[in-house]
Amino acid sequence: MVKLNKIYTRTGDGGDTSLVNGMRVSKHARRPSAFGEVDEANSVIGLARLHCGASEDGVMQEADAMLGRIQNDLFDLGADIATPETDQPALRITEIQVQRLEDEIDMMNADLQPLNSFILPGGSNASAWLHLARTVVRRAERHMTELSAEEVVNVPAMQYVNRLSDHLFVLARRLNENGKTDVLWRPGQNSGQN
C-alpha cells in the first residue's frame, strides 16, 4: 500500500514530476501525459458509478462492480505507464486483466440488440458518462501509442486500454436496456438531404 503523509511537496513547482523510479521528467512529457489521461478516465468512470451503485437493480450493481474493478486496474495502468519498461520489478498490467475485460465484453454483448447504426452518446445517465469515459480512454490510448513509438510500453497495457474502450461502449449499451434505449445516429437527418 502507498502511504501519503504530505499531499503537497513543492517538487513539481518547476514543471517537472517524478516517475516511479525517481527519474524527473517534464509534466508535459509523453509518460505523464499518458498516465494523466488514464487518471482522467478513472475520474469519469467514478461519475458513471454514481448512477449505478445505489441502485437495487442487479444489472446496475453488476455494472458498479465491474467499474470498481476497472478503476483499480486504472491505478495499476497508471503505475505501469509511470514506470519505464527497463525498471524491474514493477507493477504491470497483465494478460489476466485483459482477459477479464474480454470475458465481460462477451458476456454483456450476448444479450445486446444488434447494431444497425452508430450510437450517439446518451440514453441513461450512466450510459452518457460511460460514453464520455470511453472517449477519454481513447485519448489515453493515443497518448500511449505516441509513447510506444519512442519507448517500450508493456504490451498487455496497450491491449488493456484498447479493450477498455470497447468494454465501456458495450456496458453503456447494456445500461441502455441492452440497447433498446440507445440513441441512434441518423445520417444527414438535419442536412436537408433526406
Side-chain angles (χ1 to χ4, degrees), residues 78-182:
D80 188 327
I81 297 167
T83 308
E85 194 69 18
T86 55
D87 293 353
Q88 299 297 335
L91 179 59
R92 300 287 180 206
I93 290 291
T94 67
E95 292 176 7
I96 292 169
Q97 290 163 297
V98 175
Q99 186 63 54
R100 189 194 76 241
L101 287 181
E102 290 177 357
D103 292 343
E104 290 176 357
I105 291 168
D106 292 342
M107 178 273 300
M108 292 185 291
N109 207 39
D111 296 328
L112 292 180
Q113 291 189 346
L115 278 173
N116 297 316
S117 175
F118 287 106
I119 295 173
L120 302 179
S124 69
N125 287 330
S127 294
W129 283 111
L130 290 172
H131 281 294
L132 178 58
R134 173 185 57 77
T135 63
V136 175
V137 168
R138 284 288 190 210
R139 186 172 357 117
E141 182 180 21
R142 289 191 298 274
H143 281 263
M144 288 174 65
T145 59
E146 287 177 349
L147 176 63
S148 72
E150 296 177 358
E151 299 181 47
V152 176
V153 175
N154 177 26
V155 171
M158 297 296 294
Q159 294 168 339
Y160 185 90
V161 74
N162 186 267
R163 294 312 175 282
L164 180 55
S165 59
D166 296 333
H167 188 288
L168 296 172
F169 176 79
V170 172
L171 182 56
R173 294 200 66 218
R174 181 177 175 91
L175 298 184
N176 276 344
E177 298 178 37
N178 282 330
K180 291 178 189 144
T181 59
D182 283 336

Side-chain angles (χ1 to χ4, degrees), residues 51-64:
H51 300 283
C52 299
S55 175
E56 299 290 323
D57 179 277
V59 171
M60 293 296 259
Q61 290 175 342
E62 180 184 48
D64 186 58

Side-chain angles (χ1 to χ4, degrees), residues 181-194:
T181 59
D182 283 336
V183 181
L184 301 180
W185 174 48
R186 308 223 183 278
Q189 178 180 8
N190 304 309
S191 68
Q193 297 175 54
N194 294 343

